[in-house]
Amino acid sequence: MGRHRSDPMGLARLALAVLAALAVVTLLVVGGRALLTSLDTRQQQPERGKVAAQPQASAQVPTVRIECVADTCPLVTVRVPGGDVLQYRDMSRGEEVSYYEPELDVVLSDAATVIVTENGKPRAQGKAGAREAFTVRGRGA
């Protein structure tokens, strides 16, 4: 006849396999959450800089301010020449960022999708689908 009694070694192996599977799932969940948190943090950094600068905003005009006016504004890049990349991502309608560094390099993948203000003065909006790259120097630079 077939086996009707439980095999203690088989149950132990099954329990070990279930524990191992749970451990793998737990590691995947923790790793995934950590990755999402780090991505969210990277995207929020320009906003933090903007918030930190607001107490001085009445006395200080941003070197560059970019506002997305399309549903999606493809790849907007802002960086300090020879230094840190402050933004390298798509933007969404209504989203705006401001930077106060003395000099900034800006690259717009589609210049018609954003409104750019340089030192408080509007920059002429680009043509649809046109890529634009330019440098903005602050008033004191």
Side-chain angles (χ1 to χ4, degrees), residues 20 36 66:
L36 289 174
I66 302 169

Side-chain angles (χ1 to χ4, degrees), residues 106-119:
V106 178
V107 179
L108 308 171
S109 296
D110 186 346
T113 62
V114 295
I115 294 175
V116 178
T117 306
E118 297 177 0
N119 299 303

Side-chain angles (χ1 to χ4, degrees), residues 61-65 101-102 117-122 136-140:
V61 175
T63 305
V64 71
R65 179 181 166 276
E101 284 71 13
T117 306
E118 297 177 0
N119 299 303
K121 296 180 182 167
V136 181
R137 288 176 184 80
R139 289 186 174 160

Side-chain angles (χ1 to χ4, degrees), residues 80-92:
V80 176
D84 293 335
V85 174
L86 304 175
Q87 175 168 315
Y88 182 80
R89 63 181 174 83
D90 294 351
M91 294 176 66
S92 301

Side-chain angles (χ1 to χ4, degrees), residues 49-62:
K50 182 176 160 185
V51 170
Q54 279 182 347
Q56 303 171 4
S58 60
Q60 188 179 18
V61 175

Side-chain angles (χ1 to χ4, degrees), residues 1 4 10 14 24 29 37 48 68-69 71 82 86 125 128 132:
M1 257 186 169
H4 288 305
L14 179 62
V24 168
V29 169
T37 300
R48 280 196 203 129
C68 178
V69 293
D71 287 334
L86 304 175
Q125 197 165 8
E132 279 191 23

